[in-house]
């Protein structure tokens, strides 16, 4: 018997929160390096230089700067994403005239994930703004762009509220949605296609392919997402961090400014730590999501 829609939504939301936590714990230092390289590409020769410089100047704590808002961002994003993903699958069934409860194709699931990302963007943008600003605070101070920065989540939240009001937390929202919609089509599409390939090769159902294939599929989905949307993520990070100095230009103006003054290469600054991070982080995300969801569904059935 299928769970009641409210129960199913609660299971998806809880499993998404568990997956988001696993994602942050396994990938935060590499995410910090990514944001620093995106915002200040000329300061670092490459990923290793950025990583070592951050460790020497700020210690291990510097690599985990922004972990609290990152946890908030990932828990909020993945809770809403996977809950919406379940609802959006039902919408896709209605649009495609597929019977309720029937299995969807991998591409139909990709479409459901893409639409679900619009809802998750609304909770992701405010928390990512705080996270990115904290991660790049040392560079903002060192470059003289700001006199002294905020060191804690709550001091940053108070500053945004005081200077820009509630809408200040949504700087970069347009870019976030522009990144998420195509990105999550690739993310869920690649994840489901990879699981289907493993399922066919091993002669098992997708739910029984095991830990390593599930983690690889999650990492593969993450890699496809970042390869497609990385330039948009770079623009988003610039808007969210540099808006500390005053009102920042929108997506197109910022994008064209980077292209004109720094070239295409700057839009891909920080891609190396992102690609290294994507397999353990997204592998952990989907493994934790699938395992916790399966366990909760079994508890419901019993």
């Amino acid at each position: 018997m299928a769970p009641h829609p409210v129960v199913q939504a609660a299971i998806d939301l809880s499993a998404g929160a568990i997956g988001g936590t696993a994602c942050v714990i396994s990938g935060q230092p590499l995410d910090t390096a990514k944001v620093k390289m995106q915002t200040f590409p000329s300061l670092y020769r490459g990923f290793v230089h950025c990583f070592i410089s951050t460790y020497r100047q700020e210690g291990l704590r510097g690599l985990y700067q922004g972990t609290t808002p990152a946890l908030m961002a990932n828990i909020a994003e993945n809770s809403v994403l996977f809950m919406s993903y379940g609802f959006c699958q039902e919408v896709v069934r209605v649009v495609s005239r597929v019977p309720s409860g029937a299995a969807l194709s991998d591409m139909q699931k990709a479409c459901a994930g893409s639409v679900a990302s619009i809802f998750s963007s609304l909770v992701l943008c405010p928390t990512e703004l705080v996270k990115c600003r904290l991660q790049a605070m040392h560079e903002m101070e060192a470059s003289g762009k700001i006199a002294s920065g905020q060191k804690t989540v709550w001091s940053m939240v108070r500053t945004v509220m005081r200077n820009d009001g509630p809408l200040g937390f949504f700087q970069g929202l347009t870019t976030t949605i522009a990144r998420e919609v195509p990105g999550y089509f690739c993310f869920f599409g690649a994840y489901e296609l990879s699981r289907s390939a493993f399922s066919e090769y091993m002669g098992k159902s997708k739910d029984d392919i095991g830990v390593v294939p599930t983690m690889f599929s999650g990492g593969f989905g993450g890699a496809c997402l970042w390869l497609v949307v990385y330039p948009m993520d770079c623009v988003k990070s610039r808007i969210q961090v540099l808006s500390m100095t005053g009102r920042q230009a929108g997506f197109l103006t910022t994008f064209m400014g980077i292209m004109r003054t720094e070239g295409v290469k700057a839009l891909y600054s920080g891609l190396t730590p992102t690609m290294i991070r994507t397999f353990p982080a997204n592998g952990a995300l989907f493994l934790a999501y699938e395992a916790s969801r399966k366990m909760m569904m079994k508890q419901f059935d019993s």
Side-chain angles (χ1 to χ4, degrees):
M1 185 180 71
H4 187 277
V6 174
V7 174
Q8 185 65 65
I11 289 172
D12 289 337
L13 187 141
S14 302
I18 293 167
T21 303
C23 182
V24 172
I25 291 169
S26 58
Q28 182 64 14
L30 293 166
D31 184 67
T32 297
K34 178 203 78 159
V35 171
K36 287 176 180 286
M37 291 177 72
Q38 284 179 326
T39 314
F40 298 95
S42 58
L43 280 183
Y44 302 107
R45 293 191 298 273
F47 156 58
V48 175
H49 180 225
C50 178
F51 197 89
I52 292 172
S53 296
T54 302
Y55 182 74
R56 283 178 178 166
Q57 293 165 5
E58 303 174 67
L60 190 63
R61 186 178 177 181
L63 291 169
Y64 278 92
Q65 189 68 266
T67 298
T68 301
L71 273 170
M72 291 166 63
N74 272 270
I75 290 171
E77 180 195 18
N78 287 294
S79 297
V80 175
L81 178 69
F82 284 104
M83 184 179 71
S84 302
Y85 182 48
F87 287 129
C88 290
Q89 285 189 51
E90 289 303 318
V91 173
V92 170
R93 284 189 179 95
V94 171
V95 172
S96 306
R97 295 179 181 175
V98 175
S100 181
L104 294 174
S105 70
D106 294 336
M107 285 301 99
Q108 286 172 327
K109 287 183 177 180
C111 290
S114 181
V115 176
S117 71
I118 297 172
F119 301 102
S120 64
S121 296
L122 297 173
V123 295
L124 175 66
C125 186
T127 45
E128 270 221 328
L129 179 128
V130 175
K131 174 187 77 73
C132 289
R133 286 187 176 186
L134 285 172
Q135 287 174 319
M137 188 60 68
H138 176 79
E139 286 75 9
M140 289 293 284
E141 291 177 350
S143 63
K145 292 184 184 295
I146 56 173
S148 61
Q150 293 75 36
K151 303 297 183 185
T152 67
V153 173
W154 301 118
S155 63
M156 178 64 74
V157 169
R158 284 196 301 270
T159 301
V160 175
M161 283 293 291
R162 185 173 62 247
N163 295 341
D164 306 302
L167 289 178
F169 290 102
F170 291 92
Q171 292 177 91
L173 178 62
T174 303
T175 315
T176 301
I177 293 173
R179 177 192 72 174
E180 301 287 272
V181 171
Y184 275 98
F185 178 87
C186 298
F187 187 58
F188 282 103
Y191 172 67
E192 294 295 346
L193 284 168
S194 178
R195 284 213 307 162
S196 293
F198 276 116
S199 174
E200 193 174 322
Y201 177 76
M202 298 168 73
K204 296 180 178 179
S205 72
K206 283 184 178 182
D207 294 333
D208 298 319
I209 57 176
V211 172
V212 174
T214 300
M215 289 193 72
F216 177 85
S217 298
F220 180 62
C224 291
L225 180 151
W226 285 115
L227 285 171
V228 169
V229 305
Y230 197 81
M232 285 179 277
D233 185 68
C234 181
V235 174
K236 178 200 70 69
S237 294
R238 291 278 186 107
I239 291 171
Q240 292 183 322
V241 172
L242 297 179
S243 58
M244 276 193 282
T245 60
R247 186 163 180 81
Q248 185 67 14
F251 170 67
L252 281 175
T253 306
T254 305
F255 178 81
M256 294 308 295
I258 294 170
M259 287 286 288
R260 189 168 52 251
T261 58
E262 301 172 60
V264 176
K265 189 178 178 182
L267 291 169
Y268 287 91
S269 183
L271 182 61
T272 301
T274 301
M275 295 307 288
I276 294 171
R277 169 183 171 270
T278 193
F279 274 88
N282 288 295
L285 164 66
F286 271 111
L287 182 65
Y289 167 74
E290 295 288 359
S292 58
R293 186 176 184 275
K294 196 173 181 180
M295 185 184 72
M296 285 185 278
M297 291 292 279
K298 271 185 183 175
Q299 287 293 113
F300 174 81
D301 288 341
S302 62

